[in-house]
Amino acid sequence: TPPDDAVMILLGASGDLTRRKLVPALFQLYRSGLMPGRFAIIGVARRPYDDPSFRERLREGIRERCAPQDEEDRCSEFLEHVEYFRGDLEAPDTYASLRDHLDRGGDRYPSGRLFYFSLKPDLFIEAAHHLREHGLIDSDSAAQAGEGAWRRAVIEKPFGHDLESARALNRALLEGLDEKQIFRIDHYVGKEAVQNVMAFRFANTLFEPVLNRTCVDHIQLTAAEALGVGGGRGGYYDRYGAIRDMLSNHLLQLLALLTMEPPSGLDSDAIHNEKTKVLKALRVDWRGDASPAFCRAQYAAGVMDDGTRAVGYRDEDRVDRDSETESYAAVRLSIDNWRWSGVPVFVRTGKRMKRKLTEVAVHFRHPPLKLFRGVECEGAHCDVRGVQPNKLIFRIQPQEGIFLNMAVKRPTLPFVVEQADMDFSYAGKWGRELPEAYERLLLDALRGDTTLFTRSDEVEAGWSVVEPVLKAMDRTPLYSYPAGSWGPAEADRLFQCSDLPDECLC
Ligand code: BG6
């Protein structure tokens, strides 16, 4: 489907997201010929820019992210479509004058309107209310929208602070728009290697039949970041923390794609139905105090991999000096359904860890008969009890790819079994940079395709999973780990599967 002609109204456009992510992604679409035939971009914010100074700010962002030097003309041509509208988005008058401005624009603006909420999260509900009150958004089913005059809203994360606030935000949005007009963004779902999880599972015959409790021992999902919460993000992060910022959304989305049942088709509803269903089956796997299901921690000062010294979390800009916010969280989950019952799922995420790494590892069981138990086994992956079971790794970033570990006989006279890998890497196969998640997602929003966005019930199901952890937060110790490490030693207790069957090797 080609993108629809549109005026894109970026609410909160003076923020970093517009400069660093949104506009560079739109420019990439433009240079690939994927922007609509007619489009305009209006940035709305309070800061005193005018069109030229706003465009200059965006040009810098484009240069930093993507544009080679020789594309300055193309960049200027693109920026001709951009304008700035100064206004305080907390004031109702701004919405009235924005509406008048759009109406007066006549043919200059296409009739389809896409509002992008990249505002302070506290303002989402208020902004949705004012947009509706001033007739800027309206549900398609309310029939006022004429031919081509569609209305859409893209909502940045965080989508709420907990289950209750997410429900309130859903209600506010659904008062003015139909579900199909709401695009709740989760940029992880737009990542190439995340989209590929579906292709890998459902476009191959080989793997899907073994992704279940009979063959899988446990699943580990890791999202480690080397970055801290500097760069002006401290204020936001200190209110949210790792569970809300990463786990409740990005990581559960990734897990849902890996563990959901095959959808009946590739349409948006079929996929969202399956994702919601598995999210509803996810539970925190509490097993009493002896084996905690949840571990949280904060980074202390330390030395990063590249030798730089990093300050501790509480010394970061805009972070409370006595903050109790977790910059690391690990949770053990279970999936209470026929396919996954009894398979532990370990999820961990943290900032200022050794290096950036996002991957999902599916650890398979030992073969039922351990023929090679006594046979010599060598190599880094070998286990004292014999050959290590298969492991399937979805590397989301960096060095995106899919890796399968298996045991093979070494070509020597003594019978030695060792580990070997079957690798698929994007770099090896295509050798070029992958598109940014925002390119895919913005293009889909312009096409009106909600497949890679999250539906209201799905978002609420995600919050329901972490709700017990949020409630237990005050009662859970806050551990510490040095910046540049792999997290707190205490988290290892979660990953010890002592009460699991003998086959478990985690
Ligand atoms: C954002 C979080 O949604 O995702 C950030 O708010 C985090 O805290 C970022 O750093 C990670 O995204 P990526 O694409 O760099 O893994």
Side-chain angles (χ1 to χ4, degrees), residues 417-449:
V417 178
E418 68 175 38
Q419 211 77 25
D421 299 328
M422 270 173 89
D423 290 359
F424 147 68
S425 79
Y426 284 80
K429 171 127 178 93
W430 289 290
R432 64 182 150 83
E433 267 191 38
L434 299 178
E436 268 275 320
Y438 273 98
E439 288 171 43
R440 159 96 267 154
L441 295 172
L442 285 165
L443 180 61
D444 283 359
L446 286 165
R447 286 167 165 160
D449 182 349

PDB file of all heavy atoms in Angstrom, residues 417-449:
ATOM      1  N   VAL A 417      33.258 -35.152  20.609  1.00  0.00           N
ATOM      2  CA  VAL A 417      32.102 -34.352  20.199  1.00  0.00           C
ATOM      3  C   VAL A 417      32.326 -32.926  20.656  1.00  0.00           C
ATOM      4  O   VAL A 417      32.716 -32.683  21.798  1.00  0.00           O
ATOM      5  CB  VAL A 417      30.812 -34.903  20.845  1.00  0.00           C
ATOM      6  CG1 VAL A 417      29.613 -34.046  20.459  1.00  0.00           C
ATOM      7  CG2 VAL A 417      30.586 -36.332  20.401  1.00  0.00           C
ATOM      8  N   GLU A 418      32.112 -31.984  19.773  1.00  0.00           N
ATOM      9  CA  GLU A 418      32.277 -30.588  20.197  1.00  0.00           C
ATOM     10  C   GLU A 418      31.172 -29.710  19.621  1.00  0.00           C
ATOM     11  O   GLU A 418      30.375 -30.152  18.798  1.00  0.00           O
ATOM     12  CB  GLU A 418      33.650 -30.057  19.819  1.00  0.00           C
ATOM     13  CG  GLU A 418      33.881 -29.900  18.329  1.00  0.00           C
ATOM     14  CD  GLU A 418      35.230 -29.258  18.042  1.00  0.00           C
ATOM     15  OE1 GLU A 418      36.199 -29.581  18.757  1.00  0.00           O
ATOM     16  OE2 GLU A 418      35.298 -28.461  17.102  1.00  0.00           O
ATOM     17  N   GLN A 419      31.201 -28.495  20.082  1.00  0.00           N
ATOM     18  CA  GLN A 419      30.130 -27.570  19.714  1.00  0.00           C
ATOM     19  C   GLN A 419      30.438 -26.881  18.389  1.00  0.00           C
ATOM     20  O   GLN A 419      31.582 -26.498  18.140  1.00  0.00           O
ATOM     21  CB  GLN A 419      30.048 -26.518  20.819  1.00  0.00           C
ATOM     22  CG  GLN A 419      28.693 -25.953  21.047  1.00  0.00           C
ATOM     23  CD  GLN A 419      27.795 -26.916  21.820  1.00  0.00           C
ATOM     24  OE1 GLN A 419      28.276 -27.770  22.557  1.00  0.00           O
ATOM     25  NE2 GLN A 419      26.509 -26.765  21.619  1.00  0.00           N
ATOM     26  N   ALA A 420      29.426 -26.702  17.557  1.00  0.00           N
ATOM     27  CA  ALA A 420      29.615 -25.934  16.317  1.00  0.00           C
ATOM     28  C   ALA A 420      28.405 -25.015  16.161  1.00  0.00           C
ATOM     29  O   ALA A 420      27.382 -25.207  16.797  1.00  0.00           O
ATOM     30  CB  ALA A 420      29.710 -26.877  15.132  1.00  0.00           C
ATOM     31  N   ASP A 421      28.555 -24.009  15.320  1.00  0.00           N
ATOM     32  CA  ASP A 421      27.469 -23.036  15.153  1.00  0.00           C
ATOM     33  C   ASP A 421      26.971 -23.023  13.722  1.00  0.00           C
ATOM     34  O   ASP A 421      27.742 -23.179  12.784  1.00  0.00           O
ATOM     35  CB  ASP A 421      27.971 -21.621  15.458  1.00  0.00           C
ATOM     36  CG  ASP A 421      28.455 -21.500  16.881  1.00  0.00           C
ATOM     37  OD1 ASP A 421      27.902 -22.195  17.737  1.00  0.00           O
ATOM     38  OD2 ASP A 421      29.388 -20.710  17.110  1.00  0.00           O
ATOM     39  N   MET A 422      25.684 -22.826  13.564  1.00  0.00           N
ATOM     40  CA  MET A 422      25.132 -22.503  12.241  1.00  0.00           C
ATOM     41  C   MET A 422      24.692 -21.061  12.332  1.00  0.00           C
ATOM     42  O   MET A 422      23.840 -20.737  13.149  1.00  0.00           O
ATOM     43  CB  MET A 422      23.909 -23.381  11.947  1.00  0.00           C
ATOM     44  CG  MET A 422      24.258 -24.662  11.254  1.00  0.00           C
ATOM     45  SD  MET A 422      22.814 -25.723  11.134  1.00  0.00           S
ATOM     46  CE  MET A 422      22.134 -25.209   9.613  1.00  0.00           C
ATOM     47  N   ASP A 423      25.307 -20.215  11.541  1.00  0.00           N
ATOM     48  CA  ASP A 423      25.081 -18.776  11.714  1.00  0.00           C
ATOM     49  C   ASP A 423      24.382 -18.149  10.522  1.00  0.00           C
ATOM     50  O   ASP A 423      24.723 -18.421   9.385  1.00  0.00           O
ATOM     51  CB  ASP A 423      26.425 -18.050  11.849  1.00  0.00           C
ATOM     52  CG  ASP A 423      27.101 -18.378  13.159  1.00  0.00           C
ATOM     53  OD1 ASP A 423      26.509 -19.139  13.943  1.00  0.00           O
ATOM     54  OD2 ASP A 423      28.210 -17.882  13.366  1.00  0.00           O
ATOM     55  N   PHE A 424      23.449 -17.300  10.811  1.00  0.00           N
ATOM     56  CA  PHE A 424      22.939 -16.398   9.772  1.00  0.00           C
ATOM     57  C   PHE A 424      23.140 -14.989  10.314  1.00  0.00           C
ATOM     58  O   PHE A 424      22.659 -14.662  11.410  1.00  0.00           O
ATOM     59  CB  PHE A 424      21.447 -16.653   9.506  1.00  0.00           C
ATOM     60  CG  PHE A 424      20.692 -15.406   9.133  1.00  0.00           C
ATOM     61  CD1 PHE A 424      20.942 -14.785   7.917  1.00  0.00           C
ATOM     62  CD2 PHE A 424      19.777 -14.826   9.991  1.00  0.00           C
ATOM     63  CE1 PHE A 424      20.286 -13.606   7.577  1.00  0.00           C
ATOM     64  CE2 PHE A 424      19.111 -13.660   9.657  1.00  0.00           C
ATOM     65  CZ  PHE A 424      19.372 -13.047   8.454  1.00  0.00           C
ATOM     66  N   SER A 425      23.901 -14.172   9.599  1.00  0.00           N
ATOM     67  CA  SER A 425      24.028 -12.784  10.069  1.00  0.00           C
ATOM     68  C   SER A 425      23.609 -11.861   8.928  1.00  0.00           C
ATOM     69  O   SER A 425      23.851 -12.144   7.752  1.00  0.00           O
ATOM     70  CB  SER A 425      25.463 -12.496  10.503  1.00  0.00           C
ATOM     71  OG  SER A 425      26.260 -12.261   9.375  1.00  0.00           O
ATOM     72  N   TYR A 426      22.981 -10.764   9.320  1.00  0.00           N
ATOM     73  CA  TYR A 426      22.533  -9.795   8.307  1.00  0.00           C
ATOM     74  C   TYR A 426      23.732  -9.245   7.549  1.00  0.00           C
ATOM     75  O   TYR A 426      23.697  -9.088   6.336  1.00  0.00           O
ATOM     76  CB  TYR A 426      21.771  -8.647   8.976  1.00  0.00           C
ATOM     77  CG  TYR A 426      20.372  -9.000   9.388  1.00  0.00           C
ATOM     78  CD1 TYR A 426      20.144  -9.710  10.565  1.00  0.00           C
ATOM     79  CD2 TYR A 426      19.282  -8.639   8.618  1.00  0.00           C
ATOM     80  CE1 TYR A 426      18.866 -10.045  10.964  1.00  0.00           C
ATOM     81  CE2 TYR A 426      17.991  -8.968   9.003  1.00  0.00           C
ATOM     82  CZ  TYR A 426      17.786  -9.667  10.170  1.00  0.00           C
ATOM     83  OH  TYR A 426      16.519  -9.997  10.557  1.00  0.00           O
ATOM     84  N   ALA A 427      24.813  -8.963   8.316  1.00  0.00           N
ATOM     85  CA  ALA A 427      25.996  -8.369   7.677  1.00  0.00           C
ATOM     86  C   ALA A 427      26.573  -9.346   6.650  1.00  0.00           C
ATOM     87  O   ALA A 427      26.923  -8.954   5.535  1.00  0.00           O
ATOM     88  CB  ALA A 427      27.029  -8.026   8.732  1.00  0.00           C
ATOM     89  N   GLY A 428      26.634 -10.645   7.021  1.00  0.00           N
ATOM     90  CA  GLY A 428      27.194 -11.633   6.109  1.00  0.00           C
ATOM     91  C   GLY A 428      26.332 -11.804   4.870  1.00  0.00           C
ATOM     92  O   GLY A 428      26.838 -11.969   3.770  1.00  0.00           O
ATOM     93  N   LYS A 429      25.035 -11.755   5.015  1.00  0.00           N
ATOM     94  CA  LYS A 429      24.154 -12.031   3.871  1.00  0.00           C
ATOM     95  C   LYS A 429      23.936 -10.794   3.003  1.00  0.00           C
ATOM     96  O   LYS A 429      23.944 -10.865   1.789  1.00  0.00           O
ATOM     97  CB  LYS A 429      22.813 -12.571   4.383  1.00  0.00           C
ATOM     98  CG  LYS A 429      21.746 -12.696   3.315  1.00  0.00           C
ATOM     99  CD  LYS A 429      21.130 -14.069   3.264  1.00  0.00           C
ATOM    100  CE  LYS A 429      20.026 -14.144   2.229  1.00  0.00           C
ATOM    101  NZ  LYS A 429      20.501 -14.603   0.929  1.00  0.00           N
ATOM    102  N   TRP A 430      23.704  -9.630   3.663  1.00  0.00           N
ATOM    103  CA  TRP A 430      23.369  -8.454   2.870  1.00  0.00           C
ATOM    104  C   TRP A 430      24.415  -7.350   2.914  1.00  0.00           C
ATOM    105  O   TRP A 430      24.382  -6.452   2.090  1.00  0.00           O
ATOM    106  CB  TRP A 430      22.000  -7.887   3.284  1.00  0.00           C
ATOM    107  CG  TRP A 430      20.887  -8.791   2.852  1.00  0.00           C
ATOM    108  CD1 TRP A 430      20.476  -9.019   1.567  1.00  0.00           C
ATOM    109  CD2 TRP A 430      20.079  -9.631   3.691  1.00  0.00           C
ATOM    110  NE1 TRP A 430      19.449  -9.946   1.562  1.00  0.00           N
ATOM    111  CE2 TRP A 430      19.182 -10.324   2.849  1.00  0.00           C
ATOM    112  CE3 TRP A 430      20.013  -9.845   5.052  1.00  0.00           C
ATOM    113  CZ2 TRP A 430      18.244 -11.224   3.332  1.00  0.00           C
ATOM    114  CZ3 TRP A 430      19.077 -10.728   5.548  1.00  0.00           C
ATOM    115  CH2 TRP A 430      18.208 -11.414   4.693  1.00  0.00           C
ATOM    116  N   GLY A 431      25.288  -7.417   3.934  1.00  0.00           N
ATOM    117  CA  GLY A 431      26.417  -6.493   4.007  1.00  0.00           C
ATOM    118  C   GLY A 431      26.085  -5.015   3.967  1.00  0.00           C
ATOM    119  O   GLY A 431      26.866  -4.229   3.439  1.00  0.00           O
ATOM    120  N   ARG A 432      24.920  -4.637   4.453  1.00  0.00           N
ATOM    121  CA  ARG A 432      24.663  -3.189   4.520  1.00  0.00           C
ATOM    122  C   ARG A 432      23.878  -2.884   5.785  1.00  0.00           C
ATOM    123  O   ARG A 432      23.339  -3.781   6.422  1.00  0.00           O
ATOM    124  CB  ARG A 432      23.903  -2.714   3.281  1.00  0.00           C
ATOM    125  CG  ARG A 432      22.529  -3.297   3.137  1.00  0.00           C
ATOM    126  CD  ARG A 432      21.877  -2.794   1.854  1.00  0.00           C
ATOM    127  NE  ARG A 432      20.952  -3.773   1.313  1.00  0.00           N
ATOM    128  CZ  ARG A 432      19.710  -3.912   1.726  1.00  0.00           C
ATOM    129  NH1 ARG A 432      19.235  -3.149   2.674  1.00  0.00           N
ATOM    130  NH2 ARG A 432      18.923  -4.835   1.189  1.00  0.00           N
ATOM    131  N   GLU A 433      23.840  -1.596   6.091  1.00  0.00           N
ATOM    132  CA  GLU A 433      23.170  -1.219   7.342  1.00  0.00           C
ATOM    133  C   GLU A 433      21.683  -1.502   7.283  1.00  0.00           C
ATOM    134  O   GLU A 433      21.053  -1.370   6.231  1.00  0.00           O
ATOM    135  CB  GLU A 433      23.367   0.276   7.580  1.00  0.00           C
ATOM    136  CG  GLU A 433      24.575   0.535   8.436  1.00  0.00           C
ATOM    137  CD  GLU A 433      24.647   1.963   8.900  1.00  0.00           C
ATOM    138  OE1 GLU A 433      23.588   2.547   9.211  1.00  0.00           O
ATOM    139  OE2 GLU A 433      25.768   2.472   8.931  1.00  0.00           O
ATOM    140  N   LEU A 434      21.130  -1.853   8.415  1.00  0.00           N
ATOM    141  CA  LEU A 434      19.704  -2.152   8.445  1.00  0.00           C
ATOM    142  C   LEU A 434      18.907  -0.858   8.579  1.00  0.00           C
ATOM    143  O   LEU A 434      19.371   0.091   9.198  1.00  0.00           O
ATOM    144  CB  LEU A 434      19.399  -3.053   9.650  1.00  0.00           C
ATOM    145  CG  LEU A 434      20.098  -4.400   9.644  1.00  0.00           C
ATOM    146  CD1 LEU A 434      19.774  -5.191  10.893  1.00  0.00           C
ATOM    147  CD2 LEU A 434      19.663  -5.182   8.418  1.00  0.00           C
ATOM    148  N   PRO A 435      17.691  -0.843   8.028  1.00  0.00           N
ATOM    149  CA  PRO A 435      16.877   0.362   8.191  1.00  0.00           C
ATOM    150  C   PRO A 435      16.558   0.594   9.666  1.00  0.00           C
ATOM    151  O   PRO A 435      16.419  -0.350  10.427  1.00  0.00           O
ATOM    152  CB  PRO A 435      15.581   0.049   7.429  1.00  0.00           C
ATOM    153  CG  PRO A 435      15.775  -1.259   6.769  1.00  0.00           C
ATOM    154  CD  PRO A 435      17.023  -1.894   7.274  1.00  0.00           C
ATOM    155  N   GLU A 436      16.467   1.853  10.043  1.00  0.00           N
ATOM    156  CA  GLU A 436      16.088   2.212  11.414  1.00  0.00           C
ATOM    157  C   GLU A 436      14.631   1.828  11.658  1.00  0.00           C
ATOM    158  O   GLU A 436      13.792   1.952  10.758  1.00  0.00           O
ATOM    159  CB  GLU A 436      16.167   3.731  11.554  1.00  0.00           C
ATOM    160  CG  GLU A 436      17.476   4.236  12.051  1.00  0.00           C
ATOM    161  CD  GLU A 436      17.546   4.201  13.574  1.00  0.00           C
ATOM    162  OE1 GLU A 436      16.535   4.525  14.212  1.00  0.00           O
ATOM    163  OE2 GLU A 436      18.613   3.851  14.095  1.00  0.00           O
ATOM    164  N   ALA A 437      14.349   1.392  12.887  1.00  0.00           N
ATOM    165  CA  ALA A 437      12.985   0.986  13.215  1.00  0.00           C
ATOM    166  C   ALA A 437      11.973   2.091  12.914  1.00  0.00           C
ATOM    167  O   ALA A 437      10.866   1.841  12.434  1.00  0.00           O
ATOM    168  CB  ALA A 437      12.909   0.610  14.697  1.00  0.00           C
ATOM    169  N   TYR A 438      12.379   3.344  13.171  1.00  0.00           N
ATOM    170  CA  TYR A 438      11.426   4.442  12.970  1.00  0.00           C
ATOM    171  C   TYR A 438      11.023   4.609  11.506  1.00  0.00           C
ATOM    172  O   TYR A 438       9.941   5.092  11.210  1.00  0.00           O
ATOM    173  CB  TYR A 438      11.985   5.757  13.517  1.00  0.00           C
ATOM    174  CG  TYR A 438      11.673   5.912  14.994  1.00  0.00           C
ATOM    175  CD1 TYR A 438      12.618   5.598  15.953  1.00  0.00           C
ATOM    176  CD2 TYR A 438      10.429   6.353  15.422  1.00  0.00           C
ATOM    177  CE1 TYR A 438      12.326   5.721  17.307  1.00  0.00           C
ATOM    178  CE2 TYR A 438      10.122   6.475  16.765  1.00  0.00           C
ATOM    179  CZ  TYR A 438      11.075   6.156  17.704  1.00  0.00           C
ATOM    180  OH  TYR A 438      10.772   6.272  19.034  1.00  0.00           O
ATOM    181  N   GLU A 439      11.887   4.226  10.583  1.00  0.00           N
ATOM    182  CA  GLU A 439      11.522   4.346   9.163  1.00  0.00           C
ATOM    183  C   GLU A 439      10.337   3.440   8.857  1.00  0.00           C
ATOM    184  O   GLU A 439       9.337   3.845   8.287  1.00  0.00           O
ATOM    185  CB  GLU A 439      12.692   3.924   8.271  1.00  0.00           C
ATOM    186  CG  GLU A 439      13.815   4.908   8.266  1.00  0.00           C
ATOM    187  CD  GLU A 439      15.029   4.360   7.543  1.00  0.00           C
ATOM    188  OE1 GLU A 439      14.872   3.752   6.466  1.00  0.00           O
ATOM    189  OE2 GLU A 439      16.139   4.525   8.069  1.00  0.00           O
ATOM    190  N   ARG A 440      10.488   2.179   9.257  1.00  0.00           N
ATOM    191  CA  ARG A 440       9.417   1.200   9.037  1.00  0.00           C
ATOM    192  C   ARG A 440       8.110   1.666   9.692  1.00  0.00           C
ATOM    193  O   ARG A 440       7.042   1.636   9.103  1.00  0.00           O
ATOM    194  CB  ARG A 440       9.899  -0.124   9.643  1.00  0.00           C
ATOM    195  CG  ARG A 440       8.894  -1.124   9.981  1.00  0.00           C
ATOM    196  CD  ARG A 440       8.737  -2.143   8.887  1.00  0.00           C
ATOM    197  NE  ARG A 440       7.693  -1.799   7.965  1.00  0.00           N
ATOM    198  CZ  ARG A 440       7.640  -2.189   6.703  1.00  0.00           C
ATOM    199  NH1 ARG A 440       8.593  -2.907   6.184  1.00  0.00           N
ATOM    200  NH2 ARG A 440       6.633  -1.880   5.935  1.00  0.00           N
ATOM    201  N   LEU A 441       8.240   2.139  10.954  1.00  0.00           N
ATOM    202  CA  LEU A 441       7.034   2.447  11.718  1.00  0.00           C
ATOM    203  C   LEU A 441       6.342   3.703  11.184  1.00  0.00           C
ATOM    204  O   LEU A 441       5.108   3.754  11.087  1.00  0.00           O
ATOM    205  CB  LEU A 441       7.381   2.601  13.205  1.00  0.00           C
ATOM    206  CG  LEU A 441       7.877   1.293  13.849  1.00  0.00           C
ATOM    207  CD1 LEU A 441       8.384   1.531  15.252  1.00  0.00           C
ATOM    208  CD2 LEU A 441       6.766   0.244  13.871  1.00  0.00           C
ATOM    209  N   LEU A 442       7.130   4.703  10.818  1.00  0.00           N
ATOM    210  CA  LEU A 442       6.506   5.915  10.276  1.00  0.00           C
ATOM    211  C   LEU A 442       5.846   5.621   8.935  1.00  0.00           C
ATOM    212  O   LEU A 442       4.759   6.115   8.635  1.00  0.00           O
ATOM    213  CB  LEU A 442       7.543   7.030  10.137  1.00  0.00           C
ATOM    214  CG  LEU A 442       7.944   7.667  11.481  1.00  0.00           C
ATOM    215  CD1 LEU A 442       9.215   8.490  11.350  1.00  0.00           C
ATOM    216  CD2 LEU A 442       6.805   8.544  12.006  1.00  0.00           C
ATOM    217  N   LEU A 443       6.500   4.798   8.145  1.00  0.00           N
ATOM    218  CA  LEU A 443       5.914   4.442   6.852  1.00  0.00           C
ATOM    219  C   LEU A 443       4.577   3.717   7.065  1.00  0.00           C
ATOM    220  O   LEU A 443       3.579   4.012   6.400  1.00  0.00           O
ATOM    221  CB  LEU A 443       6.893   3.561   6.070  1.00  0.00           C
ATOM    222  CG  LEU A 443       6.430   3.094   4.701  1.00  0.00           C
ATOM    223  CD1 LEU A 443       6.170   4.292   3.788  1.00  0.00           C
ATOM    224  CD2 LEU A 443       7.463   2.183   4.045  1.00  0.00           C
ATOM    225  N   ASP A 444       4.557   2.787   8.007  1.00  0.00           N
ATOM    226  CA  ASP A 444       3.323   2.052   8.270  1.00  0.00           C
ATOM    227  C   ASP A 444       2.219   2.977   8.788  1.00  0.00           C
ATOM    228  O   ASP A 444       1.050   2.817   8.443  1.00  0.00           O
ATOM    229  CB  ASP A 444       3.566   0.921   9.281  1.00  0.00           C
ATOM    230  CG  ASP A 444       4.260  -0.267   8.619  1.00  0.00           C
ATOM    231  OD1 ASP A 444       4.511  -0.195   7.403  1.00  0.00           O
ATOM    232  OD2 ASP A 444       4.531  -1.254   9.317  1.00  0.00           O
ATOM    233  N   ALA A 445       2.595   3.936   9.621  1.00  0.00           N
ATOM    234  CA  ALA A 445       1.585   4.878  10.128  1.00  0.00           C
ATOM    235  C   ALA A 445       1.023   5.691   8.954  1.00  0.00           C
ATOM    236  O   ALA A 445      -0.181   5.961   8.886  1.00  0.00           O
ATOM    237  CB  ALA A 445       2.199   5.786  11.183  1.00  0.00           C
ATOM    238  N   LEU A 446       1.883   6.060   8.018  1.00  0.00           N
ATOM    239  CA  LEU A 446       1.406   6.812   6.850  1.00  0.00           C
ATOM    240  C   LEU A 446       0.538   5.950   5.929  1.00  0.00           C
ATOM    241  O   LEU A 446      -0.257   6.450   5.162  1.00  0.00           O
ATOM    242  CB  LEU A 446       2.597   7.369   6.064  1.00  0.00           C
ATOM    243  CG  LEU A 446       3.303   8.562   6.718  1.00  0.00           C
ATOM    244  CD1 LEU A 446       4.657   8.822   6.083  1.00  0.00           C
ATOM    245  CD2 LEU A 446       2.432   9.813   6.626  1.00  0.00           C
ATOM    246  N   ARG A 447       0.725   4.655   6.018  1.00  0.00           N
ATOM    247  CA  ARG A 447      -0.107   3.739   5.220  1.00  0.00           C
ATOM    248  C   ARG A 447      -1.370   3.330   5.962  1.00  0.00           C
ATOM    249  O   ARG A 447      -2.188   2.597   5.429  1.00  0.00           O
ATOM    250  CB  ARG A 447       0.650   2.453   4.943  1.00  0.00           C
ATOM    251  CG  ARG A 447       1.733   2.542   3.935  1.00  0.00           C
ATOM    252  CD  ARG A 447       2.512   1.267   4.090  1.00  0.00           C
ATOM    253  NE  ARG A 447       3.385   1.007   2.983  1.00  0.00           N
ATOM    254  CZ  ARG A 447       4.415   0.175   3.066  1.00  0.00           C
ATOM    255  NH1 ARG A 447       4.666  -0.456   4.194  1.00  0.00           N
ATOM    256  NH2 ARG A 447       5.170  -0.031   2.029  1.00  0.00           N
ATOM    257  N   GLY A 448      -1.432   3.634   7.250  1.00  0.00           N
ATOM    258  CA  GLY A 448      -2.593   3.223   8.044  1.00  0.00           C
ATOM    259  C   GLY A 448      -2.535   1.770   8.469  1.00  0.00           C
ATOM    260  O   GLY A 448      -3.560   1.164   8.781  1.00  0.00           O
ATOM    261  N   ASP A 449      -1.335   1.191   8.528  1.00  0.00           N
ATOM    262  CA  ASP A 449      -1.192  -0.221   8.901  1.00  0.00           C
ATOM    263  C   ASP A 449      -0.754  -0.331  10.377  1.00  0.00           C
ATOM    264  O   ASP A 449       0.367   0.055  10.735  1.00  0.00           O
ATOM    265  CB  ASP A 449      -0.139  -0.859   7.984  1.00  0.00           C
ATOM    266  CG  ASP A 449       0.036  -2.345   8.272  1.00  0.00           C
ATOM    267  OD1 ASP A 449      -0.481  -2.826   9.301  1.00  0.00           O
ATOM    268  OD2 ASP A 449       0.702  -3.024   7.471  1.00  0.00           O
TER     269      ASP A 449
END
